[in-house]
């Protein structure tokens, strides 16, 4: 998947919010140090603070460049997820989704964690739930309507997974899968996914213009989108992905 995009703030924060923001940062740092030190800060106990546990999981996961211990990372990540930390739930779900030398692949656990994170508003978790329901993964019943519902939520977000869900909505509307068939709306979602940088959508839109499929033939547009789809993508990747369009 493409790298996540941060939501950009508009203008400086009001002065009265700056101090609480700094205080919050110090509190998180204090919790992190408490966990690292085994609870040396009065009243702090290892793993009790979800944000601190999550930072320790990232630390031992090698993301700080200072340590790598997958077993400890998994333990802290599990604790943070248990305490309701949304990003930890997502990261732990992906651990189970992919598996590694310390965590066995377990799609049922991934599904459980993605559901929790999605309920908390995580866009990438909503996107993944769309895939789970669409393909019947991890014990999820195959349900096109449920898949459409989650992809619809994710498609409107600002996340690395949103263009993927936008493309899924194109497929749903084009095939009438989980929603009434609507080619005009399908094309709108395909264009949105392509403009958002989804190379699979760009390739599909390019072929659509070349073949006059759902849109009028436009050779110039078709070639432009196909060329765009190959930027930063290995040769022929777009054609391989296109085999799954319908």
């Amino acid at each position: 998947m493409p790298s996540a995009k941060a939501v950009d703030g508009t203008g400086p924060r009001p002065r009265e919010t700056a101090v609480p923001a700094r205080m919050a940062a110090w509190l998180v740092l204090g919790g992190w140090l408490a966990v690292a030190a085994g609870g040396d800060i009065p009243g702090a106990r290892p793993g009790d603070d979800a944000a601190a546990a999550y930072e320790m999981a990232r630390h031992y996961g090698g993301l700080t460049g200072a340590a790598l211990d997958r077993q400890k990372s998994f333990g802290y990540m599990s604790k943070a997820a248990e305490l309701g930390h949304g990003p930890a739930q997502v990261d732990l779900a992906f651990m189970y989704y992919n598996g590694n030398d310390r965590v066995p692949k377990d799609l049922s656990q991934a599904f459980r964690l993605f559901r929790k994170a999605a309920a908390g508003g995580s866009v990438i978790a909503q996107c993944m739930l769309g895939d789970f329901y669409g393909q019947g993964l991890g014990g999820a019943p195959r349900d096109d309507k449920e898949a459409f519902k989650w992809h619809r939520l994710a498609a409107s977000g600002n996340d690395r997974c949103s263009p993927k869900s936008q493309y899924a909505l194109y497929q749903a509307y084009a095939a009438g899968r989980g929603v009434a068939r609507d080619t005009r709306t399908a094309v709108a979602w395909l264009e949105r996914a392509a403009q958002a940088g989804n190379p699979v959508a760009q390739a599909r839109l390019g072929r659509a213009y070349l073949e006059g499929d759902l849109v009028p033939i436009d050779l110039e547009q078709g070639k432009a989108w196909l060329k765009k789809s190959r930027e930063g993508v290995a040769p022929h990747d777009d054609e391989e992905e296109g085999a799954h369009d319908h």
Side-chain angles (χ1 to χ4, degrees):
M1 292 186 182
S3 61
K5 295 181 178 178
V7 178
D8 185 23
T10 55
R13 293 180 181 274
R15 180 176 299 273
E16 61 269 21
T17 65
V19 173
R22 287 199 296 271
M23 288 176 62
W26 279 108
L27 287 171
V28 170
L29 177 60
W32 189 92
L33 292 172
V35 173
D40 288 344
I41 294 179
R45 291 179 297 172
D48 278 353
D49 181 81
Y54 181 61
E55 290 307 313
M56 289 301 292
R58 287 167 53 82
H59 173 73
Y60 284 114
L63 296 179
T64 65
L68 178 59
D69 186 325
R70 293 189 189 279
Q71 194 62 50
K72 285 186 177 180
S73 178
F74 173 72
Y76 280 115
M77 195 70 76
S78 298
K79 183 64 176 179
E82 178 186 330
L83 292 172
H85 193 275
Q89 291 170 343
V90 170
D91 287 358
L92 186 59
F94 275 113
M95 283 186 187
Y96 282 118
Y97 183 78
N98 296 308
N100 60 42
D101 59 344
R102 290 292 183 270
V103 184
K105 185 171 182 175
D106 188 333
L107 294 183
S108 63
Q109 286 279 37
F111 175 55
R112 179 182 66 84
L113 287 159
F114 280 134
R115 281 201 300 179
K116 285 187 175 183
S122 167
V123 175
I124 194 168
Q126 293 166 351
C127 174
M128 293 302 295
L129 275 190
D131 286 350
F132 270 71
Y133 281 112
Q135 301 173 44
L137 301 175
R142 184 162 185 172
D143 187 328
D144 290 336
K145 289 185 177 180
E146 195 71 7
F148 175 84
K149 180 186 82 172
W150 289 109
H151 277 307
R152 183 66 181 83
L153 281 172
S156 299
N158 179 26
D159 188 272
R160 55 184 173 175
C161 208
S162 295
K164 181 177 184 294
S165 283
Q166 291 161 6
Y167 185 73
L169 292 185
Y170 147 71
Q171 292 177 306
Y173 278 110
R177 189 166 60 239
V179 67
R181 189 170 186 269
D182 184 336
T183 57
R184 179 176 295 182
T185 302
V187 171
W189 280 111
L190 179 60
E191 290 177 338
R192 182 168 173 177
Q195 291 165 358
N198 184 325
V200 179
Q202 292 168 343
R204 179 69 188 93
L205 186 58
R207 289 193 299 274
Y209 276 118
L210 292 178
E211 300 165 5
D213 181 14
L214 301 180
V215 294
I217 290 179
D218 187 327
L219 300 183
E220 185 176 347
Q221 282 266 55
K223 291 176 182 178
W225 279 114
L226 283 178
K227 181 180 179 181
K228 185 72 174 175
S229 75
R230 297 187 180 104
E231 294 177 2
V233 179
H236 310 302
D237 275 2
D238 54 338
E239 285 87 352
E240 290 171 6
E241 292 284 0
H244 305 291
D245 284 345
H246 303 293

